[in-house]
Amino acid sequence: AVCQGDSIALFVVETNGSDTLNLVIQDQGGGVVFSDPAYVSGDSIKILPPPGVTTTYSIQSVTDAVLPSCTVTDNTPGGGPSVVVNLNPAITTQPLDVVICHNTDTAFVVETVTGVTYEWQTDSASGGATWHVLANGSGISGVTNDTLRVLARDALNGFSFRVRVIDNGTTCDSISDPGLLTVNPLPVI
């Protein structure tokens, strides 16, 4: 199985005939996603599954191009060698930007489907160039929950926070949009 957004690389190797094949690959609904009457045995076929669909791709028929009477066909839905494409978990509410005063608690929140694991990350004010997995401590808590709590300090000004949501059943993941933390200094009296 692969996750949504991953490309699938399939290949068929002919062992008893010519190296040129007529190859047809279909999705579980019977739609042809790949057809090549001059497929060369062993070449890689790349398929990018459509977003938002859990489906199975199956090799439905292989015909030797030189000996067309030599055909292997499996017309049963899901028949033949297949690859299952799983959906990534949906993030229905993204973290928002936060503007807050120094030494004040704030939170970044996401809403997702059930059956997931959360992994909060920060870019350490790198502008999204690099992301680091957070650990609880030093004013940070909830790094494995849907709500990340942050004690806003001047040193965190300009940090962005995002979450990687991992489906517990398939290990497919989604990454949220980042939420930017702006920490205003306390007024001087």
Side-chain angles (χ1 to χ4, degrees):
V2 297
C3 297
Q4 172 187 348
D6 295 341
S7 64
I8 303 168
L10 300 173
F11 63 93
V12 175
V13 177
E14 170 64 43
T15 58
N16 292 323
S18 71
D19 285 338
T20 305
L21 307 170
N22 179 7
L23 177 64
V24 177
I25 298 175
Q26 295 180 320
D27 63 19
Q28 66 190 20
V32 174
V33 295
F34 179 86
S35 180
D36 185 350
Y39 170 77
V40 177
S41 177
D43 280 358
S44 180
I45 304 160
K46 296 225 183 233
I47 300 171
L48 186 59
V53 177
T54 296
T55 191
T56 301
Y57 294 97
S58 301
I59 297 173
Q60 294 299 314
S61 66
V62 179
T63 303
D64 189 314
V66 175
L67 302 167
S69 61
C70 296
T71 299
V72 176
T73 304
D74 190 339
N75 292 322
T76 59
S82 62
V83 176
V84 176
V85 180
N86 294 308
L87 291 176
N88 295 335
I91 299 174
T92 55
T93 300
Q94 299 285 341
L96 300 175
D97 292 346
V98 174
V99 178
I100 199 160
C101 291
H102 172 76
N103 212 30
T104 306
D105 286 318
T106 191
F108 292 92
V109 179
V110 294
E111 289 183 13
T112 64
V113 295
T114 59
V116 296
T117 300
Y118 301 92
E119 178 185 270
W120 283 92
Q121 305 170 349
T122 184
D123 71 345
S124 303
S126 72
T130 57
W131 292 91
H132 310 280
V133 176
L134 289 168
N136 287 325
S138 298
I140 304 283
S141 64
V143 299
T144 58
N145 299 320
D146 61 352
T147 302
L148 176 70
R149 300 212 171 275
V150 178
L151 176 61
R153 299 180 313 255
D154 291 335
L156 296 178
N157 185 47
F159 279 40
S160 290
F161 298 89
R162 70 180 188 184
V163 67
R164 178 176 173 229
V165 180
I166 307 152
D167 185 297
N168 293 333
T170 66
T171 68
C172 294
D173 66 348
S174 295
I175 296 179
S176 74
D177 295 339
L180 176 65
L181 179 61
T182 302
V183 181
N184 292 325
L186 293 173
V188 178
I189 302 177

